[in-house]
């Protein structure tokens, strides 16, 4: 087949090529990452010292809400879909995703969805200000008029990720090269397959939730309105039935990424491949029966608190299996510490810290103290920033030579890593302390006693933000003028994309399926 | 090549996945009745049941239970609303009456709806109301004042460790939604 290569804007608009679409997803998520990050800077600037300095409380609430929504739905999820698009066809030996036209559509919905969401910032009454969890009645009875744009935006991004998930499942089930059995698939493909199933199970529930909100707001229903016989607590149950699997949707692909990178730089096979697969599947299954641990303080009966507490703690078992497997993979390996490996090791350490604070939060009796404090903020940022985002960053450094045929500057990469490592801890570690001391979330002003912790966190956040600009510069320099990459850039790398394809990977790959032994 | 079978395989799988997605969308709505049925059976949400009958109820004179009454008026509801007594000490099984009052302070006719809730939640199953204003909406003309009786008994099967329970009423203004409903039926 000829290496036909369309050009110009229409190349990107009409493309059905998984590599083009993967790149668009990744760049889109980077733009969203910077926008969501800019909102975080507003939040941290306001919290730099007690008192109200820069923004009105209502605008502060809009910032926390939009920061959460943009980062979850605009940055983390699309970046994972971008990685899936680039890697899954190459890793299973398929010529493209199974449904390329739908792939194009699922990407091009996103810019419209986020234009809708972001446009709400400029509307009368401002953007949504009820937190990314949009609890009723804050979002129904008391939501600003722009809430309807938020609802439509969530519908569109939900459709987009559902279509992305369908594509992954069909590709993995039907497009594998002959000989590529399920248990031979790279772990990144496995974790994404499981993530895709989580997506098709819970994104429709999110769509249902916002639909109920819409009808409550405009069509006289009372799903969440106590006066009409509804129940606001039920909103939380339905939301977290989506919300808890959602947090694994954001982290599982990153598990897959580090499971590829750690063996490559340890020059050993991944320790316990099949236990990794089963552990991932168990985490996914357990995620459906733990949702109410987000609502311990809502007034549940003792039996409910006990059930959700124990089920939640159970998740620490398969997660522990994974962490021990990564450590065991490194054990007695001949390790080298290139940038992707550094990010992966930091992932293991810092994600484990986030996991531990998760176990603390899982304890119902102490959760009454931690609930809605900065301890929760510290916990989920530890699993999301050094978890999902370090994972994606590691993947970008690791596969960049394969995608672009160019190498990044190793020193720049290491500077990016160490600055990120220092600032991420400076930002989020003090939040554990202010949270334990009782500082509430989503409040623009605070007691004097939290001043030092907040100053450190703000300094860390500004540094962390600037470091990501440095990452962008490093990437652009690498893509424009990086050294030529080798076909197998990393000595210990395994998998079809390294062994059977040149760097950069040609526009069309595996038009005839490779042979897998 | 195996293109045609590949395509039909893909189609089959996509239809199945779309089936799951449609099912999960409906499941989100099914959660609403499921939630209510679950709370009704277990009583864990503090929701009281509908109208009960007082027939052949056995009275347990060996112990007493304190029941407290709490009333709250929601934002944007210009009514006074309260109970004549703040608490009562009753025998399980005996039929009691409490009188509540409501007054419309505004210059408009207003429709109110009260929503009851019992704490601790597990006691809700044992609080039976034979007569309650919360079963219906109240329409009060401007300045109108009413007294509303509520009759209840506490089931003698109530667990020994529950010696005190709180029945709270939240009063909502539902004038607007009643208007839209009647407009819709016209």
């Amino acid at each position: 087949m000829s290496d036909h290569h369309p050009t110009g804007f229409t190349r990107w608009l009409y493309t059905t090529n998984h590599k083009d679409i993967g790149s668009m997803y990744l760049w889109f998520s980077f733009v969203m990452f910077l926008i969501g990050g800019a909102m975080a800077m507003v939040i941290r600037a306001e919290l730099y010292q007690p008192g109200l300095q820069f923004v009105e409380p209502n605008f502060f609430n809009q910032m926390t809400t939009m920061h959460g929504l943009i980062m979850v739905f605009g940055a983390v999820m699309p970046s994972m879909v971008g990685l899936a698009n680039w890697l899954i066809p190459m890793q299973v030996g398929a010529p493209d995703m199974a449904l390329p036209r739908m792939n194009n559509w699922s990407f091009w919905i996103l810019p419209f969805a986020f234009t809708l969401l972001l446009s709400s910032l400029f509307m009368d009454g401002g953007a949504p200000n009820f937190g990314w969890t949009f609890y009723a009645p804050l979002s129904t009875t008391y939501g600003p008029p722009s809430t309807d744009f938020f609802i439509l935006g969530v519908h569109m991004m939900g459709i987009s990720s559902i279509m992305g998930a369908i594509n992954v499942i069909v590709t993995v089930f039907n497009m594998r090269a002959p000989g590529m059995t399920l248990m031979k698939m790279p772990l990144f493909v496995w974790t994404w397959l499981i993530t895709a199933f989580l997506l098709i199970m819970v994104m429709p529930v999110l769509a249902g939730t916002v639909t109920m909100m819409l009808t409550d707001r405009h069509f006289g229903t009372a799903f969440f309105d106590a006066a009409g016989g509804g129940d606001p607590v039920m909103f939380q149950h339905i939301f977290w039935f989506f919300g808890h699997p959602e947090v694994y949707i954001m982290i599982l692909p990153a598990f897959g990424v580090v499971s590829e990178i750690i063996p490559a730089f340890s020059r050993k096979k991944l320790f316990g491949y099949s236990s990794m697969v089963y552990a991932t599947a168990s985490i996914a299954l357990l995620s459906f029966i733990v949702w109410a641990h987000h609502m311990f303080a809502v007034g549940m009966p003792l039996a409910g608190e006990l059930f959700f507490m124990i089920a939640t703690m159970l998740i620490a078992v398969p997660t522990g299996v994974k962490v021990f497997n990564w450590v065991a993979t490194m054990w007695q390996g001949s390790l080298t510490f290139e940038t992707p490996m550094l990010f992966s090791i930091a992932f293991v350490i810092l994600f484990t810290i986030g996991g531990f604070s998760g176990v603390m939060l899982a304890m119902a009796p102490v959760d009454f103290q931690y609930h809605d404090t900065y301890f929760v903020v510290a916990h989920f940022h530890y699993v999301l920033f050094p978890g999902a985002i370090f994972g994606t960053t590691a993947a970008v450094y690791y596969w960049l030579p394969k995608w672009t045929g160019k190498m990044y500057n190793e020193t720049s990469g290491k500077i990016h890593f160490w600055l990120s490592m220092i600032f991420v801890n400076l930002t989020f570690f003090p939040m554990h302390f202010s949270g334990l001391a009782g500082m509430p979330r989503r409040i623009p002003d605070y007691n004097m006693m939290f001043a030092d912790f907040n100053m450190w966190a703000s300094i860390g956040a500004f540094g962390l933000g600037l470091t990501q600009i440095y990452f962008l510069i490093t990437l652009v320099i690498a893509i424009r003028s990086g050294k030529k990459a080798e076909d197998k850039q990393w000595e210990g790398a395994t998998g079809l994309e390294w062994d059977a394809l040149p760097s950069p990977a040609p526009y069309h790959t595996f038009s005839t399926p490779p042979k897998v032994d | 090549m195996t293109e045609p079978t590949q395509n039909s395989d893909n189609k089959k799988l996509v239809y199945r996945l779309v089936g799951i997605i449609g099912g999960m969308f409906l499941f989100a709505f099914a959660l609403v009745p499921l939630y209510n049925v679950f709370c009704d059976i277990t009583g864990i949400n503090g929701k009281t049941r509908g109208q009960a009958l007082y027939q052949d109820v056995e009275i347990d004179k060996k112990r007493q239970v304190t029941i407290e009454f709490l009333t709250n008026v929601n934002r944007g509801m210009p009514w006074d609303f309260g109970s004549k007594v703040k608490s009562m000490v009753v025998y399980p099984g005996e039929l009691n009456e409490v009188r509540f009052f409501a007054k419309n302070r505004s210059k408009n006719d207003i429709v109110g709806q009260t929503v009851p809730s019992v704490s601790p939640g597990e006691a809700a199953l044992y609080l039976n109301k034979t007569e309650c204003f919360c079963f219906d909406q109240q329409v009060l003309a401007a300045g109108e004042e009413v007294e509303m009786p509520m009759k209840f008994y506490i089931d003698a099967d109530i667990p020994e460790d529950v010696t005190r329970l709180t029945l709270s009423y939240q009063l909502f203004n539902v004038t607007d939604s009643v208007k839209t409903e009647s407009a819709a039926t016209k």
Side-chain angles (χ1 to χ4, degrees), chain A residues 261-408:
Chain A
I261 294 175
I262 289 178
F265 294 98
S266 306
R267 289 156 185 85
K268 275 174 69 188
K269 266 176 64 181
L270 180 71
F271 185 88
Y273 170 90
S274 49
S275 69
M276 285 297 221
V277 173
Y278 297 132
T280 312
S282 328
I283 293 174
L285 288 176
L286 284 173
S287 75
F288 284 103
I289 55 160
V290 296
W291 74 89
H293 67 212
H294 295 270
M295 9 186 324
F296 279 145
V298 89
M300 254 189 290
L302 188 63
E305 307 253 339
L306 277 172
F307 172 79
F308 286 109
M309 176 171 98
I310 291 164
T312 305
M313 289 189 171
L314 214 53
I315 296 183
V317 177
T319 314
V321 168
K322 298 192 77 94
V323 171
F324 284 120
N325 279 350
W326 290 320
V327 175
T329 305
M330 288 189 271
W331 180 252
Q332 293 196 330
S334 36
L335 275 72
T336 51
F337 299 96
E338 286 87 346
T339 311
M341 182 61 163
L342 288 174
F343 273 105
S344 301
I345 295 173
F347 171 98
V348 175
I349 298 166
L350 298 184
F351 179 82
T352 305
I353 294 180
F356 279 140
S357 56
V359 175
M360 289 172 72
L361 285 164
M363 289 185 262
V366 288
D367 183 69
F368 282 83
Q369 165 77 9
Y370 306 155
H371 187 85
D372 252 344
T373 68
Y374 259 83
F375 191 78
V376 179
V377 178
H379 159 69
F380 70 70
H381 280 97
Y382 256 86
V383 288
L384 280 175
F385 204 112
I389 293 176
F390 273 21
T392 313
T393 313
V396 169
Y397 279 116
Y398 182 68
W399 278 290
L400 191 77
K402 183 52 66 184
W403 298 339
T404 63
K406 306 279 179 61
M407 250 317 261
Y408 61 89

Side-chain angles (χ1 to χ4, degrees), chain A residues 20-36 69-82 106-118 157 160 472:
Chain A
D20 282 352
I21 293 172
S23 302
M24 290 197 295
Y25 262 113
L26 287 170
W27 280 115
F28 175 82
S29 65
F30 204 100
V31 172
M32 286 297 138
F33 181 53
L34 295 181
I35 294 175
L69 291 168
I70 298 276
M71 287 303 197
V72 168
F73 296 106
V76 175
M77 286 171 72
S79 73
M80 297 303 182
V81 184
S106 75
F107 170 76
W108 278 108
I109 287 178
L110 282 181
F112 295 93
F114 283 90
T115 308
L116 270 186
L117 186 62
L118 285 168
M157 59 187 94
S160 162
L472 177 65

Side-chain angles (χ1 to χ4, degrees), chain B residues 20 43 55-56 59 61 69 77 88 98-99 127 130 172:
Chain B
I20 297 178
Q55 265 177 349
D56 309 322
I59 300 179
K61 287 275 184 194
F69 307 102
M77 180 57 160
M88 288 172 90
V98 201
R99 303 193 74 80
L127 180 68
T130 58
F172 293 91

